[in-house]
């Protein structure tokens, strides 16, 4: 079953075609990597999939909902219910502790539960740092808090834009291990990366260039290691 | 955990752990609330504060006979019962008679000279106030007409109450200048005049100087009128009205200053909040990306603003009283009374001002595009 279907998607900024008639389907439980040079439209695509932006033309079906025709209020609700976001810059709220940052996502979604938030931090190996402020955490730790926050509401789709772009090798591996575990547990993941090593762990790699998909590659490791 | 608990945690953490700019907003609110509560305290205290100063203008309430008879001491004592103890500056009875000096007719007033000095502090006396019997103050006009100087003697002639001729020598102890009708009078003690006229207890008017507001004076007058037989009482409009005019001007000035300061506070808070929203665009975008509805964003910003409003209001009430007290001690040299009603009023106004100041910034916050979080701009 397809969780995501992009049909003939274009996004035009002035005279820049950030995305040019893209077609792409992502299956439930799939782990997809998107690669491409800077400015090729990766982030634009993530914003559209993540219900934070609308395509200029084309349709997007997410979990059976045509999100290209929804208004921003229902997009907010869909995003809240179905999407988990992981960022290159982590984007933690600097005046809240690690566990509070996770609880914020619960707060907007339904009910904050400190217990569940702590369990989520435990899964990413950060239980001991729950009461630390982001400024007291290393980059790798901040990214793990960000992941815990993305997972807390059991999203249908996890979107990660350059999740390892700001991390050293050790932390990159920790994050990738978490992704592998999520994949084994059946999560659907789309990861944007510059790093071929990271892309190799996904099942499929899509290469974007000038807003066009120029290559789709099945990976040998197929996300299972 | 309840949603409200988490909300409160987010709002307070933002204020406590971020501090920075919000401190400026808080400072603005504290100053605004301080000026508000301080000036309003003074506003309500000014009539009381100024009451004593105003007594330099002279009597503001008079008691006169309403029957055919003049007033006697019994009536005066009964009327004095209705004057407030601590705030009555002077009560001065006057008996007026017509007499002659050098064959020219003049009015002579017999009064309680010590009290007259209190009710008419603006009289300028060249020389001395009478100290013994047989001494008199004469008005400037009288002095000029019969060429009398301080220390000169003169003879008063005329008829007494029974129609018999009288004649008595007086010494000029001082010459009184007031710029008013008093300058055509001769003033002597009540006892001297009673003795001259051969009877007593025939008072034409009692001048009272009471430090009280116009409405309080009207109440006093009404009570005297209702309770003392054959006596009537009224305000000296010339005095009470000018007092009222001065007070009104002072109080309008206070209002004006307060409103301007509150407007400035609002502008300062609004500018600060605007800067805060710009500064926190990323955070707002993130919250929206996490699925925060516009309403949640509004609630959080407004929550922070209102919390600052309450905090600023509380500090403002305390500082405002200290401020009012300091001003009062320096300007009026007396302490001021605390108005408990100012606590809720100041709090409400601070919260209202902050709320209003946050409206535009909060609106701006809801317009932040969640797409910026991934763009990393
Ligand atoms: N908000 C925007 N306004 C105008 N142009 C934009 C905007 N966002 C992206 N673009 C343009 O769209 C193209 C694709 O950008 P982006 O999706 O961020 O690329 P990538 O993430 O692959 O680096 C770029 O040429 C970029 O300049
Ligand atoms: Mg990008």
């Amino acid at each position: 079953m397809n969780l995501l279907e992009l049909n003939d998607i274009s996004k035009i900024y002035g005279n820049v075609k950030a995305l040019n008639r893209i077609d792409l389907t992502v299956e439930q439980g799939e782990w997809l990597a998107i690669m491409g040079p800077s400015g090729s439209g990766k982030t634009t695509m993530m914003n559209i999939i993540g219900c934070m932006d609308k395509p200029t033309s084309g349709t997007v079906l997410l979990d059976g909902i045509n999100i290209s025709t929804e208004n921003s209020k229902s997009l907010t609700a869909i995003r809240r219910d179905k999407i988990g976001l992981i960022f290159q810059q982590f984007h933690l709220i600097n005046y809240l502790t690690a566990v509070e940052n996770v609880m914020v996502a619960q707060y907007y979604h339904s009910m904050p539960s400190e217990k569940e938030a702590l369990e989520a931090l435990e899964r990413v190996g950060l239980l001991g740092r729950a009461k630390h402020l982001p400024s007291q955490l290393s980059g790798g730790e901040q990214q793990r808090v960000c992941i815990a926050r993305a997972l807390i509401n059991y999203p249908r789709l996890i979107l990660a834009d350059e999740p390892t772009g700001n991390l050293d090798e050790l932390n990159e591996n920790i994050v990738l291990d978490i992704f592998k575990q999520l994949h084994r547990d059946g999560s659907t993941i789309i990861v944007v990366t510059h790093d071929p090593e990271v892309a190799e762990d996904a099942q499929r790699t899509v290469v974007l260039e000038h807003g066009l998909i120029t290559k789709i590659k099945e990976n040998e490791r197929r996300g299972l290691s | 955990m309840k949603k409200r608990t988490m909300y409160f945690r987010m709002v307070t953490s933002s204020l406590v752990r971020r501090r920075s700019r919000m401190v400026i907003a808080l400072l603005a609110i504290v100053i605004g609330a301080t000026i508000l509560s301080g000036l309003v305290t003074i506003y309500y205290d000014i009539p009381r504060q100024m009451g004593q100063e105003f007594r330099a203008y002279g009597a503001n309430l008079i008691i006169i006979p309403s029957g055919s008879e003049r007033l006697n001491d019994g009536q005066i004592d009964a009327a004095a019962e209705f004057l407030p103890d601590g705030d009555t500056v002077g009560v001065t009875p006057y008996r007026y008679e017509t007499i002659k000096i050098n064959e020219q007719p003049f009015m002579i007033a017999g009064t309680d000279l010590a009290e007259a000095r209190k009710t008419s502090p603006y009289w300028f006396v060249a020389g001395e106030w009478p100290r013994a019997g047989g001494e008199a103050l004469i008005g400037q006009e009288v002095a000029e007409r019969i060429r009398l100087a301080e220390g000169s003697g003169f003879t008063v002639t005329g008829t007494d109450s029974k129609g018999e001729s009288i004649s008595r020598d007086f010494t000029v102890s001082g010459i009184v200048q007031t710029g008013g009708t008093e300058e055509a009078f001769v003033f002597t003690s009540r006892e001297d005049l009673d003795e001259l006229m051969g009877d007593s207890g025939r008072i034409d008017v009692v001048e009272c100087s009471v430090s009280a507001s116009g409405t309080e004076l009207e109440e006093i007058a009404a009570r005297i009128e209702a309770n003392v037989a054959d006596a009537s009482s009224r305000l000296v409009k010339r005095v009470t009205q000018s007092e009222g005019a001065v007070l009104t001007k002072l109080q309008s000035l206070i209002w004006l200053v307060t409103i301007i300061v509150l407007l400035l506070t609002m502008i300062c808070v609004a500018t600060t909040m605007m800067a805060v929203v710009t500064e926190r665009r990323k955070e707002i975008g993130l919250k929206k990306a996490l699925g925060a509805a516009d309403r949640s964003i509004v609630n959080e910003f407004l929550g922070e603003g209102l919390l600052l409003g309450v905090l600023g209001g509380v500090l403002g009430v305390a500082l405002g009283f200290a401020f009012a007290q300091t001003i009062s001690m320096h300007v009026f040299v007396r302490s001021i009374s605390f108005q408990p009603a100012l606590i809720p009023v100041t709090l409400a106004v601070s919260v209202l001002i902050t709320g209003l100041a946050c409206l535009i910034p909060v609106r701006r916050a809801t317009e932040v595009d969640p797409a910026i979080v991934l763009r990393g701009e």
Side-chain angles (χ1 to χ4, degrees):
Chain A
M1 186 201 140
N2 290 338
L3 180 66
L4 178 71
E5 273 180 44
L6 304 187
N7 296 314
D8 204 17
I9 290 298
S10 294
K11 180 72 185 181
I12 297 167
Y13 294 109
N15 51 10
V16 178
K17 281 193 175 173
L19 292 177
N20 192 358
R21 313 195 65 169
I22 297 281
D23 290 299
L24 180 71
T25 48
V26 179
E27 274 175 38
Q28 169 80 55
E30 187 179 351
W31 181 355
L32 179 80
I34 299 175
M35 291 192 74
S38 203
S40 57
K42 306 183 296 293
T43 298
T44 303
M45 192 158 133
M46 292 295 254
N47 269 331
I48 290 173
I49 298 171
C51 302
M52 290 179 284
D53 208 349
K54 287 210 236 180
T56 313
S57 64
T59 55
V60 184
L61 282 178
L62 173 65
D63 207 12
I65 305 166
N66 183 352
I67 58 173
S68 33
T69 56
E70 297 289 338
N71 63 21
S72 74
K73 199 173 167 192
S74 42
L75 281 182
T76 302
I78 296 167
R79 183 161 71 231
R80 177 164 63 214
D81 288 337
K82 302 197 183 293
I83 307 287
L85 288 166
I86 298 166
F87 315 95
Q88 180 173 7
Q89 281 99 352
F90 325 134
H91 291 310
L92 298 180
I93 296 174
N94 58 11
Y95 54 84
L96 296 179
T97 61
V99 66
E100 286 166 348
N101 264 286
V102 177
M103 286 160 73
V104 167
Q106 296 177 307
Y107 171 76
Y108 293 129
H109 182 266
S110 45
M111 276 292 155
S113 152
E114 188 154 20
K115 185 167 156 287
E116 284 176 28
L118 287 171
E119 282 164 11
L121 284 179
E122 192 172 16
R123 276 199 294 280
V124 296
L126 275 183
L127 190 55
R129 306 247 141 189
K131 301 284 173 191
H132 287 56
L133 289 172
S135 56
Q136 300 164 316
L137 298 174
S138 73
E141 290 169 333
Q142 290 187 49
Q143 188 58 295
R144 279 138 75 194
V145 176
C146 181
I147 294 173
R149 179 179 65 190
L151 301 180
I152 192 72
N153 297 319
Y154 305 99
R156 301 281 283 141
L157 177 59
I158 296 163
L159 299 180
D161 196 351
E162 300 269 5
T164 57
N166 280 345
L167 301 183
D168 57 24
E169 179 132 5
L170 176 73
N171 279 299
E172 176 175 317
N173 286 330
I174 294 175
V175 167
L176 285 177
D177 284 342
I178 296 172
F179 279 20
K180 285 170 195 162
Q181 182 60 46
L182 286 172
H183 179 61
R184 275 196 294 275
D185 294 345
S187 293
T188 312
I189 307 170
I190 300 180
V191 100
V192 165
T193 183
H194 268 111
D195 186 344
E197 277 293 305
V198 175
E200 277 295 300
D201 282 330
Q203 291 166 289
R204 210 158 46 121
T205 304
V206 169
V207 180
L208 269 181
E209 270 169 286
H210 301 295
L212 291 163
I213 295 180
T214 54
K215 197 157 86 182
I216 299 183
K217 187 176 112 206
E218 300 287 327
N219 292 329
E220 281 165 22
R221 278 190 257 165
R222 293 195 56 82
L224 304 162
S225 59
Chain B
M1 181 182 285
K2 289 226 182 72
K3 275 195 101 143
R4 207 183 312 132
T5 318
M6 185 64 194
Y7 170 75
F8 200 67
R9 224 202 251 194
M10 284 161 72
V11 167
T12 48
S13 299
S14 170
L15 289 183
V16 174
R17 298 201 186 123
R18 291 183 75 253
R19 296 193 202 105
S20 66
R21 269 182 204 282
M22 290 302 218
V23 176
I24 298 173
L26 179 63
L27 204 67
I29 302 167
V30 170
I31 293 173
T34 302
I35 302 281
L36 170 71
S37 76
L39 286 187
V40 172
T41 303
I42 292 174
Y43 177 93
Y44 281 110
D45 225 53
I46 265 194
R48 198 174 67 85
Q49 303 274 12
M50 295 293 284
Q52 298 285 331
E53 332 278 330
F54 280 142
R55 300 309 353 110
Y57 288 2
N60 50 2
L61 182 107
I62 56 167
I63 305 165
I64 47 175
S66 59
S68 48
E69 290 293 309
R70 299 207 261 184
L71 296 173
N72 59 40
D73 285 293
Q75 286 165 296
I76 295 170
D77 289 343
E81 290 290 310
F82 296 100
L83 301 176
D85 273 347
D87 290 327
T88 301
V89 176
V91 179
T92 317
Y94 287 95
R95 171 180 189 175
Y96 296 114
E97 299 294 346
T98 317
I99 42 92
K100 283 184 176 160
I101 305 171
N102 279 0
E103 294 306 311
Q104 295 185 49
F106 286 101
M107 291 291 282
I108 187 167
T111 185
D112 181 333
L113 289 158
E115 289 291 309
R117 217 174 159 163
K118 291 190 222 155
T119 45
S120 304
Y122 58 91
W123 284 12
F124 175 75
V125 173
E128 298 287 330
W129 283 74
R131 264 176 295 192
E135 289 186 339
L137 273 183
I138 58 169
Q140 174 80 10
E141 206 183 307
V142 181
E144 278 164 15
R145 270 170 57 193
I146 45 181
R147 292 180 210 297
L148 288 175
E150 192 192 325
S152 2
F154 61 96
T155 309
V156 167
T157 56
T159 47
D160 71 8
S161 306
K162 297 180 197 82
E164 286 168 22
S165 2
I166 46 171
S167 167
R168 174 149 187 202
D169 291 337
F170 280 94
T171 314
V172 177
S173 71
I175 293 165
V176 63
Q177 279 175 291
T178 66
T181 49
E182 293 90 344
E183 292 188 2
F185 281 68
V186 173
F187 294 92
T188 180
S189 74
R190 233 183 112 180
E191 293 75 19
D192 278 357
L193 187 60
D194 285 350
E195 193 188 316
L196 190 67
M197 301 312 292
D199 57 4
S200 69
R202 309 187 67 179
I203 298 303
D204 293 287
V205 59
V206 183
E207 291 187 354
C208 310
S209 174
V210 182
S211 78
S213 70
T215 37
E216 286 168 331
L217 285 176
E218 267 159 21
E219 279 168 23
I220 295 170
R223 252 177 269 145
I224 292 175
E225 189 112 26
N227 291 292
V228 183
D230 294 331
S232 115
S233 174
R234 57 190 60 140
L235 310 196
V236 183
K237 289 286 185 210
R238 182 179 51 84
V239 173
T240 51
Q241 274 167 0
S242 56
E243 281 184 27
V246 171
L247 280 180
T248 309
K249 276 181 194 154
L250 261 176
Q251 293 184 321
S252 329
L253 190 70
I254 287 180
W255 269 128
L256 199 68
V257 171
T258 309
I259 287 169
I260 288 173
V261 169
L262 288 182
L263 272 178
L264 288 177
T265 302
M266 199 158 101
I267 292 170
C268 183
V269 174
T271 327
T272 313
M273 287 307 273
M274 208 63 155
V276 167
V277 168
T278 311
E279 200 177 72
R280 292 167 70 179
R281 257 165 62 85
K282 269 279 155 58
E283 180 193 324
I284 298 162
L286 169 82
K287 286 176 171 173
K288 290 186 121 187
L290 291 179
D294 285 352
R295 192 167 23 86
S296 304
I297 303 284
V298 169
N299 286 347
E300 282 155 38
F301 263 95
L302 224 47
E304 288 186 30
L306 298 186
L307 200 62
L308 282 184
V310 171
L311 209 63
V314 170
L315 287 173
V317 169
L319 289 176
F321 181 64
F323 166 69
Q325 185 70 273
T326 313
I327 290 204
S328 182
M329 291 310 273
H330 279 92
V331 178
F332 303 109
V333 202
R334 84 180 54 124
S335 82
I336 212 159
S337 56
F338 181 70
Q339 312 276 338
L342 264 182
I343 298 176
V345 170
T346 308
L347 275 180
V349 173
S350 319
V351 167
L352 189 75
I353 294 275
T354 334
L356 284 176
C358 286
L359 283 186
I360 296 172
V362 159
R363 206 202 153 85
R364 190 60 62 87
T366 62
E367 286 164 2
V368 171
D369 182 2
I372 63 165
V373 229
L374 281 182
R375 290 246 133 79
E377 33 180 79

